Amino acid sequence: MNQKGGVGKTTVTTNLGAAIARRGYRVLLVDLDPQGHLTYACQLPENEQPATLAAALLGTYAGPVAELIAPWRERVDVMCTNVDMFLLERQLYQSRGMEMKLSRLLEKVTALGQYDVVLIDCPPSLGVLTDNALIAAGAALIPVQSEDSTLRALKLLLDQVRSIEDELRVAIELLGMVVNLYDKRKGRVVTSTLKALADMQLPILAVVDDRASIREAWRVGQPVIEYEPESPSAIAFHSLAGVLTGENEPLLAQVIDLDKAQRKAIPA
Ligand SMILES: Nc1ncnc2c1ncn2[C@@H]1O[C@H](COP(=O)(O)OP(=O)(O)OP(=O)(O)O)[C@@H](O)[C@H]1O
Ligand SMILES: [Mg+2]
């Protein structure tokens, strides 16, 4: 999650999902963003009536949840979206337990017994959809860019997480940040912000450089670990997957020799 647009939420969801699957876990990606970028990035068709994610969340579709899910890569499936999601937010405000809808839906997914890991791609807002994702997941991973506005945006985000915890009496684990689109050639603002981020309470779990291979992989509907398996981007996602599955040590916040640290984390 991150209410800032374009920081890499969708990129992290698809690429991390693929890297976790490579470790043998069965992964479901959920496209909770009405923009549908995850669905498009995976080159999958939108949901069709009546089996849409919007209808399932509203409760007007009560059929098999498997109808909402399409296969993408080996061990990675996607719960796709469609344009009805744009209207959903307003409709949810009129329904009871509006923050719990995704939790209820994912209970049905759990009952299928087909997945070990679920990653939810949030829209760029702190609205009811993101609240649903937080509550369903009970944990948040935060892609950020290393730039001046990030620290303020992070403060808003952390306040929102705390207010949900207070109001709904749930616990949300903040897993950490993924610094994305990192380009140290852009100078001191970028490198000094990375230092400021490293000093925050939230751990930095990976640093993903700004690389053409990520955009190219997106364009052909592939995760970067397939598109360019040896690239630094692929290595960064393998490393992140290892940290989140508990198989690698978290990177030191000081990120002294990042490339070396991430390289050690490639699965056999
Ligand atoms: N590390 C990277 N290197 C190069 N390009 C990247 C990288 N990460 C993301 N991009 C590109 O930047 C754009 C924005 O990324 P993405 O869509 O993942 O962000 P987002 O936070 O999901 O955006 P939104 O807030 O609109 O949902 C995409 O075109 C993506 O291909
Ligand atoms: Mg997105």
Side-chain angles (χ1 to χ4, degrees), residues 18-25 75 225 229-230 234-242 245 247-248 262-268:
I20 292 176
R22 185 64 65 86
R23 289 171 181 263
Y25 299 90
R75 289 189 296 273
I225 61 162
E230 299 296 322
I235 290 164
F237 281 108
H238 281 308
S239 167
L240 178 61
T245 55
E247 291 162 38
N248 299 346
Q262 293 192 143
R263 208 164 263 284
K264 274 198 292 197
I266 311 172

Side-chain angles (χ1 to χ4, degrees), residues 189-202:
V189 169
V190 167
T191 50
S192 64
T193 307
L194 183 63
K195 284 213 181 70
L197 289 171
D199 288 340
M200 291 190 54
Q201 293 294 325
L202 275 177

Side-chain angles (χ1 to χ4, degrees), residues 248-262:
N248 299 346
E249 290 295 312
L251 295 174
L252 284 179
Q254 287 77 7
V255 280
I256 304 157
D257 190 346
L258 188 75
D259 196 42
K260 198 164 152 213
Q262 293 192 143

Side-chain angles (χ1 to χ4, degrees), residues 2-12 33 35 37 121-124 143 180-182 208-216 218 233 237:
N2 192 332
Q3 75 277 17
K4 278 189 78 177
V7 295
K9 294 178 287 295
T10 306
T11 304
V12 170
D33 183 357
Q35 299 179 100
H37 290 167
D121 185 23
C122 292
N180 186 34
L181 285 156
Y182 187 67
V208 184
D209 287 343
D210 187 336
R211 296 270 173 175
S213 52
I214 294 199
R215 282 199 185 82
E216 289 163 15
W218 174 304
S233 317
F237 281 108

